[in-house]
């Protein structure tokens, strides 16, 4: 990569655009970014070259149509290093909830002539279709995460895959535990670090927008939630929301609880 | 024009808009044959996936409809649900919500003006290019955007999908020291915001006057944000609960966004519509700067939207300063919620215009049904109408590139949020 | 203690020297000249070197404390951040904070014999001690330098060792587990050098740095030869994040390597040293 500037693309699939804002919300540092890399394709910021060969592609959003599949394969073929950005791209996002519902019904209830809407059977994360070099988790990911990734790649080293549990970050920031002190059903013990432990920091329980951490014990947490008076449906809502297509969050903790009791 | 000219323009992905869409335009013999704002972003079916969820999950879920205006979605959701549960935020909570919303206007408008719209008026393809010739202006814009983000984060811990708001109020009150620091920053930013109004007013904006219907909220004495009645400049004046009786949404085959019409006709929502209907509600300081520009509201020039945005940034900063002085201190900012069954409505002014929500809950507060009408689907028909009229006025005999750029400029001027509209934009122009 | 930069200050790489296949010395200079003028360090102290956005690691300062500008850091490419650091080129910038930690008690060693025992790149943090002693040669007794490497190719700074060996009352002993044909030092572990070392343990102070098994073996030898535990000093390495005694990553029993170390007196840590889990 020495000499010529590193070529970067930012692509979007089905999403809310929130993860791309990790770039656009950098403030004045955005100008430094423009200087350090060549932004070849980033529709929202201006440059349009979706089909060009690049060093690094960031991909936001989940795949939900046949055209999406073709597009992601082309992006993969054109990219040296492919990074998925956020829950939609790495774990389906909120829209993947439709995977567990009757789709025909859903579309019909929102659109009068559902025939014109062509959807895939399931919303899938990018890694289900093509090889992904790094997954950045979060809904949304933040500027610190994308900067760390970009800077690592520019320095020629492997970006860090942050897999610790949120609780560690929470303790390091010396927040009072909302689960222990207030009995809130905090998802910190199974959630991936990276956000800065924002929710416990303002006295609320984490709702796992950063997805699953490594080596988690969902059923144990599910059982604990049932002692906090959550019913099985409420427990499953805790796990099945923003990262519902993440295999680590798919077993039904509620069913587990029922069996154990 | 002597010879017959058929032109096909194909712009597969429209740049500098939020979300994915295309424009399909067929010009035959200098007449527009078809013109479609083609929104192809796959639908995310939010209304449906809310069903069965608990009321307290709604604000965080609807936020994910749009990364650029999550506060608008959260504020609509909490307001509508609180209406069902027979409660209303305390005056302090209401002030906090308005400040929260001001942060979003500042952030979203600054982003749109500098990164999305201004390059069109200064002759650049993108903000990075523009930044080379206009570094100070771009820096000022990025500073304002960052300030808006910090304001959101003060109350919501982060600016995209903030986590601070809930049905009943907020999870925490901002600390006095942080609040004071932010008030100081906001005060320092006022001159930047004033300079921004002057700068955008002096841009070489096309003078394209059109006849259109503006729709927005209107409040007894405030510049509208979260409260008021729905009004238009053609005589509409209704309580927000009656929205569905006056506005109709229908599906068009070229778009995954629903089109909304008022009495069967396109209408405009957003900063220009708000300004056209409420410029008398601006604080004196903002009005004075605006008066010096020579631009008057109401305005029939659609491109005055960018001026309206700049003025709203100045207003939102002033408003946040005024309100922030009262939001700190002891005492709770969260009231207990007793769920019950019912139907609730909310209508607020998202940065891009009127956002309307309706929810039905069961006795436990679980969502039975939801209906969400985002601003961009309301503007979609109006955008198509505007492109047609603008191109006609511009001259359909112009070069293809010029036509395409003008069409894109018109679209971007609306700051369409295709993610919100559950769609995305590509431009396809066929001249045959 | 001198000023410590708690937030990273920009520093520019002004020279890079490939010492061996995997070891690079970076010469760098704080970009803020006023800061550079105030920057001082003790032998054995370390800086946190920050590869912008990617991460930072502790690295000992291997240059002479009497001329703290520019600074030299010698880095072995072992993992993520060190790999990025060894690839830097003159003109590149990194962030630097420091100096941190407690260095070697060089003043307490005054008028004593100084025994320096190092293994592998463990020599880096002790180089400033040797420089210090040599500059004040008359204030110190005999200087004995013992250095061990895995393979003779790993020995960097050969010329420096040769130059030190020329100094009065100075003994330089080198050992390599595996030596190539040109190797004229001892073949075998560094402990094998004790036979040749002219130790006078009655009035000596020992400074050790290197892999922990090697240090354990050498400490054992020194104790057996009669050196009291409070005159054995060891520089410890632990994974660090904050270098400010806050994060707990480098905790060593009741102490923090970053704040209470990296140099510890053996007498203070012998109950933990070499125990599994510490
Ligand atoms: C006070 C102090 C002074 C120091 N002075 C110096 C100095 O002067 N020069 C110097 O070169 N070093 C010095 N170090 C050591 C240096 O800080 C470490 O080598 C550095 O932190 C390694 O970081 P890294 O990111 O390069 O490697 P990391 O990626 O963190 O790897 C560290 C080690 O773990 C191994 N490793 C990495 N990933 C894995 C894995 N998945 N599984 C198994 N093993 C793995 C690597 O091979 C490597 O040996 C010092 C340390 C301290 C505490
Ligand atoms: S992961 Fe979340 S923030 Fe990112 S695009 Fe998807 S919904 Fe938006
Ligand atoms: S508050 Fe949540 S994240 Fe923090 S320690 Fe407790 S369980 Fe973990
Ligand atoms: S604490 Fe949990 S829910 Fe809150 S922002 Fe962090 S990961 Fe998301």
């Amino acid at each position: 990569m020495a000499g010529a500037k590193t070529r970067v693309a930012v692509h979007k699939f089905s999403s809310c655009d929130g993860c791309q804002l990790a770039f656009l919300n950098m403030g004045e540092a955005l100008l430094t970014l423009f200087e350090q890399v060549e932004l070849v394709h980033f529709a929202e910021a201006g440059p349009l070259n979706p089909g060009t060969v690049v060093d690094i592609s960031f991909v936001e959003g989940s795949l939900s149509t046949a055209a999406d599949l073709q597009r992601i394969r082309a992006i993969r073929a054109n990219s040296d290093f492919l990074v998925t950005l956020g829950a939609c791209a790495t774990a389906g996002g909120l829209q993947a909830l439709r995977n567990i519902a009757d789709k025909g019904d859903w579309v019909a209830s929102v659109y009068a002539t559902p025939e014109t809407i062509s959807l895939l059977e399931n919303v899938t994360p990018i890694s289900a279709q093509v090889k992904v070099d790094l997954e950045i988790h979060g809904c949304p990911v933040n500027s610190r995460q994308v900067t760390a990734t970009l800077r690592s790649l520019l320095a020629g080293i492997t970006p860090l895959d942050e897999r610790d549990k949120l609780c560690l970050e929470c303790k390091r920031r010396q927040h009072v535990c909302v689960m222990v002190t207030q009995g809130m059903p905090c998802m910190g013990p199974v959630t991936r670090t990276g956000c800065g432990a924002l929710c416990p920091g303002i006295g609320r329980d984490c709702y796992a927008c950063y997805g699953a951490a490594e080596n988690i014990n969902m059923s144990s947490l599910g059982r604990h939630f049932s002692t906090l008076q959550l019913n099985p449906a409420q427990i499953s809502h805790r796990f099945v929301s923003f990262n519902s297509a993440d295999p680590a969050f798919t077993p039904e903790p509620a069913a587990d609880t029922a069996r154990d009791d | 024009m002597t010879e017959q000219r058929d032109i096909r323009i194909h712009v597969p992905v429209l740049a500098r808009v939020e979300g994915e869409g295309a424009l399909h335009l067929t010009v035959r013999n200098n007449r527009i044959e078809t013109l479609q704002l083609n929104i192809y972003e796959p639908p995310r079916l939010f209304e449906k996936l809310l069903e069965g969820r608990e009321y307290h999950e709604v604000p965080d879920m609807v936020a994910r409809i749009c990364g650029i205006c999550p506060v608008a979605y959260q504020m609509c959701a909490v307001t509508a649900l609180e209406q069902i549960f027979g409660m209303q935020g305390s005056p302090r909570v209401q002030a906090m919500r308005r400040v929260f919303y001001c942060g979003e206007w500042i952030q979203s408008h600054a982003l749109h003006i500098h990164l999305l719209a201004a390059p069109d008026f200064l002759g650049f393809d993108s903000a990075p290019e523009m930044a080379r010739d206009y570094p100070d202006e771009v820096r000022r814009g990025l500073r304002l955007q960052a300030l808006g983000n910090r304001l959101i984060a003060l109350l919501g811990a982060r600016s995209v999908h903030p986590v601070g708001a809930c049905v009943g109020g907020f999870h925490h009150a901002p600390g006095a020291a942080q609040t004071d620091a932010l008030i100081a920053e906001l005060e320092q930013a006022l001159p930047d915001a004033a300079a921004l109004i002057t700068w955008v007013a002096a841009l070489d904006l096309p003078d394209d006057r059109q006849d259109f219907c503006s729709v927005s909220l209107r409040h007894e004495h405030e510049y509208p944000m979260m409260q008021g009645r729905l009004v238009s400049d053609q005589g509409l004046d209704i309580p927000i609960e009656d929205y569905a009786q006056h506005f109709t949404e229908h599906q068009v085959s070229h778009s995954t966004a629903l089109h909304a019409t008022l009495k069967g006709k396109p209408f405009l929502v957003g900063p220009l519509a708000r300004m056209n209907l409420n410029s008398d509600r601006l604080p004196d300081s903002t009005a004075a700067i605006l008066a010096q520009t020579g631009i008057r509201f109401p305005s029939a020039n659609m491109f005055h939207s960018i001026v309206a945005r700049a003025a709203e940034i100045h207003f939102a900063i002033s408003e946040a300063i005024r309100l922030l002085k009262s939001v700190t201190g002891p005492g709770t900012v969260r009231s207990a919620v007793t769920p019950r069954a019912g139907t609730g409505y909310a209508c607020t002014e998202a940065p891009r215009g009127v956002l309307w929500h309706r929810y039905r809950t069961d006795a436990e507060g679980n969502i039975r049904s939801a209906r969400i009408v985002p601003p961009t689907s309301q503007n979609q028909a109006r955008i198509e109408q505007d492109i047609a009229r603008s191109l006609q006025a511009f001259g359909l005999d112009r070069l293809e590139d010029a036509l395409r750029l003008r069409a894109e400029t018109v679209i971007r001027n609306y700051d369409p949020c295709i993610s919100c509209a559950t769609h995305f934009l590509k431009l396809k122009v066929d001249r045959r | 203690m001198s000023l410590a930069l708690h937030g990273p200050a920009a520093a520019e790489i002004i020279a890079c020297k490939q010492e061996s296949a995997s070891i690079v010395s970076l010469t760098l200079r704080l970009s803020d000249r006023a800061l550079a003028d105030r920057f001082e360090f003790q032998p054995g102290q370390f800086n946190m070197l920050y590869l912008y956005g990617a991460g930072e690691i502790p690295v000992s300062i291997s240059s002479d404390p009497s001329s703290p500008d520019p600074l030299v850091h010698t880095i072995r490419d072992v993992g993520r951040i060190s790999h990025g650091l060894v690839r830097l080129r003159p003109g590149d910038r990194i962030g630097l904070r420091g100096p941190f930690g407690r260095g070697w008690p060089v003043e307490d060693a005054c008028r004593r014999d100084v025994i320096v025992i190092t293994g592998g790149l463990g020599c880096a943090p002790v180089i400033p001690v040797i420089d210090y002693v040599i500059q004040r040669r008359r204030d110190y007794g005999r200087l004995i330098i013992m250095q061990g490497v895995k393979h003779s190719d790993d020995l960097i700074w050969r010329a420096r060792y040769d130059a030190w060996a020329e100094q009065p009352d100075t003994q330089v002993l080198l050992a390599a587990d595996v030596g190539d044909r040109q190797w004229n030092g001892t073949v075998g572990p560094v402990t094998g050098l004790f036979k040749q070392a002219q130790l006078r343990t009655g009035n000596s102070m020992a400074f050790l740095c290197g892999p922990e098994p090697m240090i354990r073996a050498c400490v054992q030898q020194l104790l057996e030869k009669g050196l009291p535990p409070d005159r054995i000093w060891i520089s410890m390495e632990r994974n660090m994040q904050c270098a400010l005694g806050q994060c707990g990553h480098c905790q060593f029993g009741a102490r923090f390597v970053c704040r209470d170390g990296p140099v510890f007196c053996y007498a203070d840590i012998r109950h933990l040293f070499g125990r599994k889990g510490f």
Side-chain angles (χ1 to χ4, degrees):
Chain A
M1 279 182 210
K5 275 194 194 174
T6 301
R7 291 158 60 83
V8 175
V10 180
H11 294 274
K12 176 201 151 83
F13 289 88
S14 201
S15 72
C16 82
D17 281 30
C19 286
Q20 300 177 43
L21 288 178
F23 292 97
L24 299 181
N25 275 345
M26 281 178 187
E28 292 184 66
L30 186 61
L31 296 183
T32 315
L33 176 76
F34 291 160
E35 282 161 22
Q36 293 193 345
V37 300
E38 190 189 343
L39 272 181
V40 182
H41 173 80
F42 188 171
E44 190 163 336
L48 278 183
N49 294 291
T52 355
V53 174
V54 294
D55 298 306
I56 309 166
S57 279
F58 288 93
V59 180
E60 174 192 275
S62 53
L63 308 172
S64 48
T65 66
D68 286 352
L69 296 187
Q70 287 179 356
R71 192 150 69 90
I72 192 63
R73 287 180 193 131
I75 292 171
R76 174 68 270 188
N78 284 332
S79 318
D80 215 29
F81 198 90
L82 192 152
V83 184
T84 57
L85 214 52
C88 290
T90 55
L94 206 50
Q95 57 271 20
L97 283 177
R98 79 170 162 85
N99 295 357
I100 47 181
D102 177 353
K103 270 132 317 208
D105 236 25
W106 279 35
V107 181
S109 70
V110 182
Y111 295 89
T113 51
E115 320 77 73
T116 61
I117 311 278
S118 87
L119 291 177
L120 291 176
E121 185 65 15
N122 280 326
V123 173
T124 56
I126 307 291
S127 64
Q129 304 297 339
V130 296
K131 174 176 167 278
V132 171
D133 298 303
L134 178 77
E135 297 187 318
I136 310 185
H137 294 254
C139 178
V141 302
N142 58 40
S143 302
R144 182 194 61 77
Q145 293 170 290
V146 297
T147 317
T149 302
L150 256 180
R151 294 295 323 173
S152 294
L153 292 171
L154 291 179
I157 62 177
T158 323
L160 205 59
D161 182 18
E162 299 176 287
R163 289 177 298 191
D164 275 355
K165 279 126 194 132
L166 181 76
C167 287
L168 299 178
E169 194 172 0
C170 181
K171 292 300 88 188
R172 236 176 268 136
R173 287 174 189 258
Q174 309 192 334
H175 296 324
V176 174
C177 178
V178 298
M179 185 143 70
V180 170
T181 61
Q182 297 178 59
M184 292 183 182
C186 186
M187 291 290 281
V190 296
T191 299
R192 192 179 277 256
T193 190
C195 69
L198 298 177
C199 293
I202 59 166
R204 83 177 276 196
D205 43 336
C206 166
Y207 59 91
C209 77
Y210 266 58
E214 64 179 350
N215 304 327
I216 57 171
N217 190 340
M218 276 175 59
S219 29
S220 163
L221 188 65
R223 274 195 299 278
H224 184 65
F225 285 172
S226 66
T227 69
L228 299 174
Q229 313 306 323
L230 264 64
N231 65 37
Q234 289 170 320
I235 294 173
S236 97
H237 284 171
R238 299 297 288 159
F239 290 91
V240 184
S241 57
F242 299 89
N243 292 275
S244 60
D246 183 339
F249 273 173
T250 26
E252 282 281 275
D256 223 21
T257 315
R259 238 179 287 127
D260 278 13
D261 288 350
Chain B
M1 286 297 95
T2 48
E3 63 184 295
Q4 175 179 322
R5 209 169 68 133
D6 287 356
I7 305 173
R8 163 177 305 184
I9 299 173
H10 179 71
V11 179
V13 181
L14 191 74
R16 285 186 281 126
V17 296
E18 287 124 9
E20 290 194 303
L23 181 72
H24 190 90
L25 183 64
T26 318
V27 179
R28 160 153 270 173
N29 215 5
N30 285 331
R31 287 189 45 166
I32 294 175
E33 229 169 42
T34 46
L35 188 157
Q36 291 173 347
L37 182 56
N38 190 215
I39 286 184
Y40 58 83
E41 177 150 334
R44 290 166 77 212
L45 309 173
F46 267 83
E47 290 157 326
K48 211 51 197 170
L49 54 86
L50 288 168
E51 288 176 14
R53 289 281 169 160
E54 298 154 71
Y55 72 88
H56 60 81
E57 297 182 277
V58 176
D60 294 317
M61 292 179 83
V62 294
R64 268 67 183 187
I65 293 175
C66 177
I68 295 139
C69 52
V71 171
Y73 284 88
Q74 293 190 332
M75 293 299 92
C76 267
V78 297
T79 310
L81 290 165
E82 286 177 6
Q83 188 189 47
I84 299 177
F85 306 149
M87 59 192 295
Q88 202 185 21
S90 65
R92 178 176 174 192
V93 163
Q94 296 203 24
M96 285 169 72
R97 286 179 176 165
R98 202 164 153 88
V99 169
F100 202 32
Y101 223 129
C102 283
E104 183 155 286
W105 278 20
I106 299 167
Q107 167 272 127
S108 172
H109 284 353
L111 184 150
H112 181 258
I113 292 175
H114 298 89
L115 297 179
L116 313 184
D120 278 335
F121 304 120
L122 293 167
F124 297 95
D125 280 343
S126 69
E129 279 176 33
M130 187 175 92
R132 273 177 230 141
D133 289 7
Y134 292 87
D136 296 341
E137 286 79 3
V138 174
R139 264 176 215 289
R140 180 180 64 202
L142 292 170
R143 271 203 306 277
L144 287 168
Q145 187 189 338
L147 179 64
N149 283 327
R150 277 202 294 285
L151 198 52
I152 300 174
L154 177 75
L155 296 156
R158 66 180 171 195
S159 65
V160 183
H161 307 331
V163 295
C166 57
V167 179
F170 282 85
H171 290 284
H172 81 143
Q178 288 166 287
T179 309
D180 290 346
L182 205 49
I183 293 174
E185 277 188 66
L186 289 160
E187 272 163 356
Q188 277 162 21
L190 275 174
D192 269 359
L196 179 63
I197 299 179
T198 317
W199 183 67
V200 296
L203 288 174
D204 186 17
L205 303 173
D207 186 11
D208 183 14
R209 277 151 220 279
Q210 294 183 14
D211 194 18
F212 55 83
C213 170
S214 296
V215 171
S216 84
L217 285 179
R218 182 151 171 94
H219 185 266
E220 287 138 56
H221 49 267
E222 290 172 344
Y223 194 80
M225 209 173 252
M226 293 190 58
Q227 287 166 347
R229 291 167 65 83
L230 263 173
V231 302
S232 81
D233 50 11
Q234 295 179 1
L236 181 83
D237 185 358
I238 56 168
I240 59 140
E241 287 79 2
D242 294 353
Y243 179 94
Q245 288 143 44
H246 294 80
F247 296 83
T248 41
E249 276 192 302
H250 56 274
Q251 193 186 355
V252 291
S253 63
H254 62 270
S255 174
T256 47
L258 300 171
H259 275 204
T261 49
L262 170 60
K263 299 214 182 81
K265 289 210 294 228
F267 60 98
L268 175 76
V269 298
L272 182 62
R274 280 196 292 265
M275 193 64 99
N276 279 348
L277 291 159
N278 297 283
S279 61
D280 56 335
R281 300 281 190 261
L282 284 176
D284 293 344
S285 56
T286 311
I289 301 161
L290 209 48
Q292 281 168 15
T293 64
I295 293 172
R296 298 274 172 275
F297 293 97
S299 166
N301 183 353
M302 266 310 302
F303 288 105
H304 283 161
S305 297
I306 192 170
V307 184
R309 269 182 208 105
E312 286 191 342
I313 290 178
H314 190 271
F315 154 72
I317 293 176
S318 320
E319 184 74 349
I321 294 171
R322 183 178 73 83
L323 292 168
L324 267 180
K325 292 185 172 146
S326 65
V327 304
T328 53
T332 179
V333 288
R334 183 176 184 184
S335 317
V337 175
T338 314
R340 64 185 191 202
T343 303
Y345 303 84
C347 183
T348 69
E349 285 287 349
R352 285 158 198 75
V354 170
L355 170 63
W356 188 79
H357 287 210
R358 186 194 65 204
Y359 299 94
R360 273 198 309 123
T361 58
D362 65 16
E364 279 77 49
N366 299 318
I367 304 303
R368 300 286 296 276
S369 73
R371 177 138 178 247
I372 295 170
V373 184
T376 294
S377 63
Q378 300 178 74
N379 272 342
Q380 214 186 331
R382 168 70 200 127
I383 300 175
E384 288 182 357
Q385 184 189 49
D386 187 350
I387 299 167
R389 291 185 189 170
S390 292
L391 292 185
Q392 227 106 48
F394 185 59
L396 286 166
D397 52 341
R398 301 239 195 176
L399 287 177
E400 200 169 298
D401 274 354
L403 277 181
R404 185 180 52 210
L405 179 63
R406 174 53 66 101
E408 288 188 52
T409 304
V410 167
I411 296 167
R412 280 196 281 268
N413 183 46
Y414 286 80
D415 191 9
C417 183
I418 287 162
S419 304
C420 281
T422 331
H423 326 291
F424 194 92
L425 189 62
K426 266 185 192 177
L427 173 63
K428 248 197 221 159
V429 182
D430 296 333
R431 296 204 204 192
R432 276 177 287 153
Chain C
M1 192 160 294
S2 64
L3 134 135
L5 298 167
H6 281 199
E12 188 176 323
I13 310 297
I14 55 174
C16 314
K17 181 155 180 268
Q18 193 82 41
E19 306 275 8
S20 79
S22 64
I23 300 171
V24 169
S25 288
L26 296 178
T27 307
L28 47 88
R29 182 161 259 166
L30 286 166
S31 305
D32 180 335
R33 299 315 298 154
L35 278 183
D37 287 344
R38 275 187 295 151
F39 194 90
E40 306 181 328
F41 67 93
Q42 304 297 313
Q45 282 193 300
F46 65 95
N47 285 323
M48 295 298 286
L49 300 187
Y50 177 38
L51 211 48
Y52 284 117
E56 62 176 359
I57 59 169
V59 182
S60 306
I61 309 174
S62 56
S63 52
D64 187 340
S66 64
S67 58
D69 180 37
L71 292 160
V72 180
H73 289 90
T74 303
I75 300 157
R76 185 196 289 276
D77 177 358
V78 296
R80 228 171 66 79
I81 302 302
S82 51
H83 185 60
L85 288 171
V86 301
R87 291 164 49 109
L88 292 171
R89 288 289 150 260
D92 287 345
R93 277 167 187 237
I94 58 168
L96 179 152
R97 53 191 185 102
F100 293 118
R102 212 164 55 140
W104 304 103
V106 276
E107 268 144 39
D108 297 353
C110 220
R111 273 176 285 284
R112 296 182 200 271
D113 286 4
V114 174
I115 308 164
V116 171
I117 308 177
T118 56
L121 196 52
C123 53
V126 201
I127 297 280
V129 174
I130 299 173
D131 284 338
Y132 191 94
V133 170
I134 285 177
Q135 272 166 29
R136 296 162 185 79
R137 198 64 200 84
R138 274 177 305 166
D139 298 342
Y140 290 86
R142 181 173 298 160
L143 173 61
I144 300 170
I145 301 169
M146 297 155 75
Q147 155 81 10
V149 286
K150 278 215 187 90
H151 190 280
S152 53
D153 288 351
D154 297 341
L155 185 77
I156 61 171
W157 296 328
R158 184 71 209 228
R160 285 206 208 183
Y161 285 102
D162 292 346
W164 291 327
E166 301 297 309
Q167 295 286 328
D169 205 10
T170 302
Q171 197 184 11
V172 174
L173 300 169
L174 304 174
D177 290 343
V178 182
D180 62 13
R181 242 174 286 151
Q182 280 98 53
W183 182 246
N184 54 6
T186 306
V187 174
V190 70
T191 40
L193 297 172
F194 276 91
K195 291 193 289 285
Q196 305 163 48
Q198 296 155 8
L199 300 179
R200 301 183 296 199
T201 49
N203 189 27
S204 298
M205 195 168 268
F207 298 146
L208 292 86
C209 185
E212 282 184 29
M214 171 226 125
I215 294 191
R216 265 205 311 279
C218 293
V219 166
Q220 199 49 46
Q221 294 260 354
L222 290 168
L223 293 171
E224 281 168 15
K225 298 225 154 27
L227 194 67
D230 63 353
R231 274 194 267 126
I232 300 175
W233 295 80
I234 303 168
S235 178
M236 303 280 294
E237 276 192 13
R238 287 290 181 274
N239 175 1
M240 280 178 192
Q241 300 272 310
C242 76
L244 302 169
Q246 294 290 320
C247 73
H249 274 82
C250 69
Q251 198 172 349
F252 184 61
R255 295 179 169 80
F256 290 101
V257 172
C258 66
R259 190 186 62 197
D260 309 315
V263 175
F264 290 97
C265 181
Y266 179 69
D268 293 338
I269 57 166
R270 64 177 150 188
H271 58 293
L272 296 177
F273 192 69
R275 265 178 59 191
K276 260 207 154 65
F278 283 94

